[in-house]
Amino acid sequence: MWADGLGGHLPAGSAPLTREFFDRPGPEVAPDLLGRVISHGPVSVRLTEVEAYGMPGEDPASHTYRGRTPRNAVMFGPPGHLYVYFTYGMHFCANLVCLPEGVGSGVLLRAGEVVAGAEVALARRTAGAGRTVTARDLARGPARLAVALGFTREHDGLDVCPPGPVGVLEGDPPKPGAIMSGPRTGVSSGQETPWRFWIAADPTVSPYRPHVPRRR
DNA sequence: ATGGAGATGCTCT
DNA sequence: GAGCATCTCCATA
């Protein structure tokens, strides 16, 4: 079965999410993603923190705010695909595309708990540097999560609905009362919308850092 | 614990 | 040229 071979550490009976799941606005999909498990080859991550990005022209913090460009084209494609972008000259971040073709909305994967393939994730996170990384920090932060799952620009546009190398499984969603929300991290506009969602008291949620303009 | 600054390159104006 | 959906190291306390 498709969900087998993912490491055997996943909840029994956890099935892949269908494309319909993602065919909704990002702010609606985002809280529903908490507790789900995204899996790429040997590594699986239980999502504990996500951030939604809304409609073109309506959400100034979204990459799609000013319309379609070569970089954000995947966001305007069909739902249930990965949008991976390169930022700060050194990091990748991964989103799940929401809403149908022609509308650019999505959810940034901000943090999670590695529930399978921790050795592979650790090797990726420590490659080429004499650095030590704790289990909690393996996928704590959007760029770290992308490294742990092995996402780079090659994965931009990849379908996450079966069959395929990447899947999002049902997992074990938190109780509604455990879902928190607040302003998004690191964005210079759109701070009115509380579209960052996380699981209360989960140690793998990233520390909140408000946006600070760079000095020259 | 908290804060500052550097690294580094792509995208869009 | 400006600004970035960030991370890590180092300083101070």
Side-chain angles (χ1 to χ4, degrees):
Chain A
M1 196 48 220
W2 187 83
D4 293 341
L6 293 176
H9 301 275
L10 304 176
S14 190
L17 299 180
T18 63
R19 198 169 311 287
E20 291 71 45
F21 177 92
F22 299 101
D23 198 359
R24 297 179 283 155
E28 198 175 310
V29 172
D32 271 8
L33 278 170
L34 295 174
R36 314 286 186 180
V37 174
I38 182 167
S39 196
H40 179 211
V43 178
S44 296
V45 171
R46 172 183 155 263
L47 297 172
T48 59
E49 180 187 356
V50 296
E51 235 170 48
Y53 289 87
M55 308 284 282
E58 295 180 10
D59 180 8
S62 175
H63 285 182
T64 64
Y65 182 56
R66 294 165 203 279
R68 185 177 187 137
T69 68
R71 176 175 70 154
N72 66 23
V74 167
M75 283 274 271
F76 286 87
H81 289 245
L82 276 180
Y83 166 51
V84 181
Y85 69 92
F86 184 62
T87 192
Y88 290 106
M90 63 196 86
H91 298 304
F92 290 99
C93 295
N95 295 248
L96 292 169
V97 175
C98 297
L99 289 175
E101 182 127 32
V103 190
S105 180
V107 177
L108 171 69
L109 308 179
R110 284 201 57 88
E113 174 195 4
V114 174
V115 293
E119 294 192 1
V120 173
L122 180 65
R124 288 171 173 162
R125 289 272 290 113
T126 54
R131 181 195 316 151
T132 190
V133 175
T134 63
R136 159 201 254 213
D137 285 346
L138 277 177
R140 189 177 184 226
R144 293 162 164 186
L145 179 146
V147 170
L149 281 167
F151 291 148
T152 68
R153 63 172 89 263
E154 306 162 17
H155 305 276
D156 186 35
L158 198 69
D159 194 349
V160 304
C161 299
V166 176
V168 186
L169 308 179
E170 283 180 337
D172 188 17
K175 294 184 169 32
I179 296 179
M180 305 283 115
S181 69
R184 292 170 292 186
T185 304
V187 299
S188 56
S189 55
Q191 282 154 350
E192 325 77 50
T193 44
W195 285 351
R196 171 180 175 248
F197 300 90
W198 68 94
I199 298 178
D202 192 295
T204 64
V205 171
S206 71
Y208 177 71
R209 283 190 252 276
H211 174 80
V212 286
R214 306 284 310 303
R215 228 197 87 226
R216 2 184 329 205

